[in-house]
Amino acid sequence: MKLLEKHCEKYEIPLVEIPEDLYCWGIIRHVMTQVFDKETARLKYFKITHDNFNTFTLKNNGSSNTARDIIEFLSTMIGNPVALYYSNLNCLTSTNTDDSKLILSDEIQPYKPNIITKFQYMKQMKGSCVQYVVKIGILNEVEGYITITEENRELTELDYMAIENGIINLQYEFLSEFAQNELKKKYQRDIIHNILNGLLSPKEMAEAAAQFGMKESDTYRVVDFHTITNNVQRKYTKEQLHEVGVIEDELMHLLPDALIYRNMDQIFMIQQVDSNQTELEYQKEMEEIEAVIQRIILYRKMTIDFQIGIGKSVKGYQRLKESYYEASQAIKYIEIVRLVTGDKNKSVVHYSNLGFFQIFGEIDDMTELERYIPETLKKLYLYDDEHKGELITTLQTYLRNNQSIKKTAGAMFVHYRTISYRLEKIKQISGINFDNADEVLAVSNGLIIYKMLKEIE
């Protein structure tokens, strides 16, 4: 140190002593703005930050910590907290203790920093501090958000230079990670598909299961997370398929210990069964997860009907095919369950709770079920088709409300005399005897079967 002081004194070189706990970026910014004109300072600072961030890209060995390193380095440069979020707004990494979900305020506004930028900035308040939100993406597939919160000082033009370089390097990192993840997912997807469909020999099954840490002595279940568009054609747009990917990421976040993979619009999960959890408790857990996903869908203003089908618990991975079949069947009959329960929002169904509907899964030709629809009911359907009436809807509501005219009128928002008139009309056309319990049961089942046949047309 003495030698350095003498050298600087001899050649009249300024010597600045910096405490070990103080970073030099503030000094660099100050010196550059004092020594150079505005444009030169911006160019030189851009070059310095660019070179520093490039060291992360060059030394990247595939570690998932690279993005975290970039975020921490950027936070050091600008002297403010920085956080990185997935597209589902879950926090990937943060330089302070706040790792909660990102909240995008209704008052968030576009913001244009006083530099040439490649990215779209937004500005909102987080408590009493200004927060900048930048959406970043790669190939319209990888998507995320980076936030910078002015907790310690206001950002300057030079800070935005550092932010730009940090985001560019994050994009490179995301691209590399995305390519690696896609290869890994494809490999896993093929293996899981073969496991669930029973396409492997016992030896191959054992080898495949070992890769995922599954044991024949453990108990597993398969869950089918299904997404259906709300349009008539039930076709997916590119944006909706992307949303399925967002849902997949959220499920992985909510269920970190499960094996989850996606096949187009469906997402399947193989999960080890918790012996201390009852089936009712598990049903409620899945309902809570369904509610979380639905809130995300609504928040992102997408039109997707998210459904969950639960298969039975099976001992060992060799029987996963059975649970997989049941989970898929549960999804198939959700519309019927909604009809029977009268709950149009019913979205979580355990196959074991389907009751006698399970037998329909054994029928190869569903049209054979038509013979179980009573002739009395067929007459009623024919009348409604010809007159565009509401007798079938009235009958369904009447039976669902335990043959109470008052409750039926309330459910249909009509006068009880209107219901009485329609019921008389139903009796005249069909000859249904509502005092005959066996006949009422046959009609109730016929309504369900007819609905099922309509669903598969």
Side-chain angles (χ1 to χ4, degrees):
M1 184 66 183
K2 293 286 187 183
L3 183 62
L4 180 61
E5 288 177 351
K6 289 181 178 180
H7 178 80
C8 291
E9 183 179 351
K10 178 179 179 181
Y11 294 100
E12 298 182 346
I13 300 173
L15 178 63
V16 180
E17 186 174 350
I18 305 173
E20 289 184 357
D21 60 347
L22 181 66
Y23 293 106
C24 63
W25 290 101
I27 297 172
I28 293 174
R29 286 192 300 271
H30 176 74
V31 170
M32 282 192 166
T33 54
Q34 298 301 312
V35 174
F36 303 108
D37 61 75
K38 186 176 180 181
E39 282 303 313
T40 304
R42 288 168 59 166
L43 288 172
K44 286 188 174 294
Y45 195 74
F46 183 89
K47 178 68 168 54
I48 291 174
T49 56
H50 176 77
D51 292 342
N52 275 268
F53 276 115
N54 275 352
T55 60
F56 292 102
T57 304
L58 293 173
K59 72 177 182 180
N60 182 9
N61 57 2
S63 169
S64 59
N65 291 325
T66 304
R68 294 180 176 88
D69 292 341
I70 292 173
I71 289 299
E72 289 175 1
F73 187 60
L74 176 60
S75 177
T76 300
M77 278 185 164
I78 64 177
N80 279 306
V82 180
L84 180 63
Y85 299 85
Y86 295 107
S87 56
N88 58 16
L89 307 183
N90 287 325
C91 184
L92 169 60
T93 184
S94 174
T95 60
N96 59 17
T97 56
D98 183 10
D99 59 356
S100 58
K101 269 182 172 283
L102 171 63
I103 298 175
L104 298 177
S105 167
D106 293 335
E107 284 76 37
I108 194 167
Q109 297 291 331
Y111 175 74
K112 178 70 175 174
N114 191 28
I115 63 168
I116 298 175
T117 175
K118 297 180 179 180
F119 308 102
Q120 179 184 354
Y121 288 72
M122 295 177 287
K123 183 178 179 180
Q124 64 180 13
M125 296 301 296
K126 183 179 181 182
S128 60
C129 302
V130 174
Q131 183 180 66
Y132 300 95
V133 181
V134 188
K135 185 176 181 180
I136 54 179
I138 288 289
L139 304 176
N140 294 320
E141 292 288 346
V142 183
E143 187 179 281
Y145 296 88
I146 185 172
T147 65
I148 304 97
T149 308
E150 289 183 340
E151 285 188 8
N152 302 320
R153 65 181 189 84
E154 292 185 9
L155 299 181
T156 66
E157 292 179 3
L158 296 186
D159 291 319
Y160 290 111
M161 296 290 183
I163 293 170
E164 292 283 308
N165 275 304
I167 295 175
I168 290 170
N169 279 267
L170 279 173
Q171 286 185 313
Y172 287 131
E173 167 61 19
F174 282 170
L175 182 58
S176 172
E177 186 177 342
F178 175 71
Q180 294 176 44
N181 286 343
E182 284 302 298
L183 286 173
K184 182 179 178 182
K185 282 182 180 180
K186 185 180 186 308
Y187 176 70
Q188 291 184 343
R189 187 162 52 237
D190 292 343
I191 294 178
I192 296 173
H193 173 81
N194 291 335
I195 290 175
L196 294 181
N197 287 278
L199 302 177
L200 303 175
S201 67
K203 182 180 178 182
E204 291 172 332
M205 181 73 84
E207 291 174 352
Q211 294 187 44
F212 300 111
M214 291 189 288
K215 301 177 182 178
E216 190 62 14
S217 58
D218 290 332
T219 303
Y220 301 93
R221 68 164 61 87
V222 177
V223 179
D224 184 351
F225 301 103
H226 195 54
T227 54
I228 301 176
T229 53
N230 287 338
N231 56 43
V232 176
Q233 295 79 15
R234 290 193 170 183
K235 292 182 179 179
Y236 281 88
T237 63
K238 183 179 179 180
E239 290 75 17
Q240 286 169 326
L241 285 175
H242 175 71
E243 191 68 14
V244 177
V246 173
I247 293 172
E248 179 189 16
D249 291 340
E250 183 64 26
L251 287 170
M252 288 180 173
H253 174 75
L254 294 170
L255 301 159
D257 298 326
L259 182 59
I260 296 174
Y261 92 105
R262 171 189 170 192
N263 182 17
M264 287 296 287
D265 61 317
Q266 284 182 292
I267 304 167
F268 294 101
M269 174 176 72
I270 300 174
Q271 187 179 46
Q272 187 173 343
V273 175
D274 182 357
S275 59
N276 296 319
Q277 187 179 44
T278 66
E279 290 297 328
L280 180 59
E281 290 171 339
Y282 186 74
Q283 175 87 13
K284 290 188 177 298
E285 179 186 340
M286 288 296 105
E287 289 173 355
E288 290 171 1
I289 286 176
E290 186 270 339
V292 171
I293 299 298
Q294 289 289 8
R295 285 197 295 271
I296 291 172
I297 292 170
L298 288 173
Y299 179 81
R300 294 172 64 85
K301 299 178 181 178
M302 300 300 293
T303 54
I304 287 180
D305 183 9
F306 182 70
Q307 305 170 352
I308 300 178
I310 305 172
K312 68 180 178 182
S313 300
V314 294
K315 186 67 175 292
Y317 52 76
Q318 297 283 356
R319 296 180 59 198
L320 281 170
K321 181 180 178 180
E322 300 172 30
S323 186
Y324 169 64
Y325 170 79
E326 290 192 356
S328 300
Q329 289 296 102
I331 290 292
K332 184 177 180 181
Y333 294 116
I334 273 185
E335 289 296 334
I336 307 304
V337 173
R338 288 175 173 177
L339 173 66
V340 175
T341 61
D343 183 359
K344 294 181 180 179
N345 296 317
K346 181 75 173 177
S347 297
V348 182
V349 173
H350 200 303
Y351 182 80
S352 62
N353 295 335
L354 286 173
F356 82 96
F357 291 112
Q358 295 179 22
I359 65 173
F360 297 144
E362 308 301 325
I363 299 175
D364 294 327
D365 184 4
M366 293 293 286
T367 58
E368 291 183 10
L369 291 172
E370 190 172 351
R371 60 193 177 97
Y372 294 104
I373 302 176
E375 288 298 321
T376 53
L377 194 57
K378 291 179 180 178
K379 292 178 183 177
L380 207 56
Y381 274 110
L382 183 61
Y383 180 88
D384 258 4
D385 285 342
E386 292 177 351
H387 297 83
K388 301 187 185 303
E390 294 186 71
L391 297 184
I392 288 294
T393 303
T394 301
L395 177 60
Q396 290 172 335
T397 310
Y398 181 62
L399 295 178
R400 193 180 297 137
N401 285 279
N402 299 317
Q403 299 186 44
S404 166
I405 295 178
K406 183 178 180 180
K407 290 181 179 179
T408 303
M412 298 189 71
F413 303 103
V414 297
H415 198 276
Y416 75 92
R417 288 182 180 176
T418 302
I419 300 300
S420 297
Y421 169 78
R422 290 180 184 174
L423 290 174
E424 286 301 319
K425 193 74 174 176
I426 289 171
K427 292 176 184 177
Q428 292 174 13
I429 296 169
S430 65
I432 295 174
N433 180 5
F434 290 107
D435 294 325
N436 186 323
D438 292 336
E439 186 173 350
V440 169
L441 177 61
V443 169
S444 297
N445 291 340
L447 287 167
I448 295 168
I449 292 169
Y450 185 85
K451 172 68 174 177
M452 290 177 64
L453 293 175
K454 281 293 183 183
E455 285 295 318
I456 64 175
E457 282 183 355

